[in-house]
Amino acid sequence: MVLSIFLSVAFMAFVFYFRNSMTIKASQPIFLYCLLLGSALMACGILTLSFDESYGWDEQALSSACMSTPWLLFLGFIIIYCGLFTKLWRINKVLQFRRRKVEIKHVAGPFAILTLSVVVVLTCWTALDHYSWVRKEVNTETGETYGRCTSKNTMVYATVIGVLMSISMIMTFFMSWKTKD
């Protein structure tokens, strides 16, 4: 996880440093940044899952970590797949119209709509049914317990976000198939 975050930041610096080279320009740096940002967010989402009371965190801090986990994982995923889709769509448009310059604003609509949709669902989840840390006792004789993140309507929010994630994957797969030739 730390290696993933480090490599994402290192490659962001690499892309920035060599942004004027023809290879990086041809790779569309803005979309490389999207892929690297998404992977860094997803790696940070793993970090928030790795804590419990043994690290000195209280219930409120653990509840905050619980709620930040879906934000990091789902936004990271959407940014990666929407970035790939947008990059492929732009390539496809360039190949169709060889003389016309295709700017990012011409292909950013689906990226913006899907990302905004996920942000709206996550905001509703955070505001209406906060994900919180709960420790439950498994065995009263031994005192064995386990802690986990929970909310009343987790499946509803996760299903809606899962559908949005599936849409982004299907769009990306379709565009990669369409652009392959």
Side-chain angles (χ1 to χ4, degrees), residues 21-158:
S21 77
M22 292 305 291
T23 305
I24 298 296
K25 280 184 181 180
S27 299
Q28 304 176 51
I30 190 74
F31 300 117
L32 295 176
Y33 289 133
C34 287
L35 298 175
L36 293 167
L37 175 65
S39 65
L41 286 174
M42 289 185 77
C44 289
I46 296 169
L47 176 69
T48 59
L49 289 172
S50 63
F51 292 105
D52 64 9
E53 292 95 344
S54 67
Y55 291 94
W57 288 36
D58 63 356
E59 191 174 323
Q60 183 179 10
L62 288 167
S63 291
S64 295
C66 285
M67 198 62 239
S68 66
T69 300
W71 277 89
L72 294 167
L73 293 175
F74 295 145
L75 275 179
F77 185 93
I78 282 291
I79 289 171
I80 288 171
Y81 273 94
C82 286
L84 280 171
F85 169 78
T86 307
K87 179 178 179 140
L88 289 168
W89 193 21
R90 187 175 184 200
I91 290 169
N92 192 27
K93 283 186 169 286
V94 166
L95 293 175
Q96 287 177 358
F97 309 107
R98 293 180 189 262
R99 292 181 291 169
R100 182 177 171 202
K101 182 178 180 182
V102 179
E103 295 182 15
I104 294 170
K105 66 183 178 183
H106 297 134
V107 293
F111 185 104
I113 290 168
L114 280 170
T115 304
L116 184 62
S117 298
V118 169
V119 168
V120 167
V121 173
L122 286 169
T123 301
C124 290
W125 190 357
T126 302
L128 302 175
D129 189 23
H130 198 275
Y131 220 33
S132 52
W133 179 260
V134 176
R135 180 155 294 279
K136 294 186 179 184
E137 190 169 31
V138 177
N139 189 334
T140 55
E141 293 176 12
T142 63
E144 183 181 352
T145 64
Y146 72 93
R148 68 183 189 111
C149 300
T150 187
S151 73
K152 293 179 185 173
N153 298 307
T154 300
M155 288 307 295
V156 173
Y157 295 107

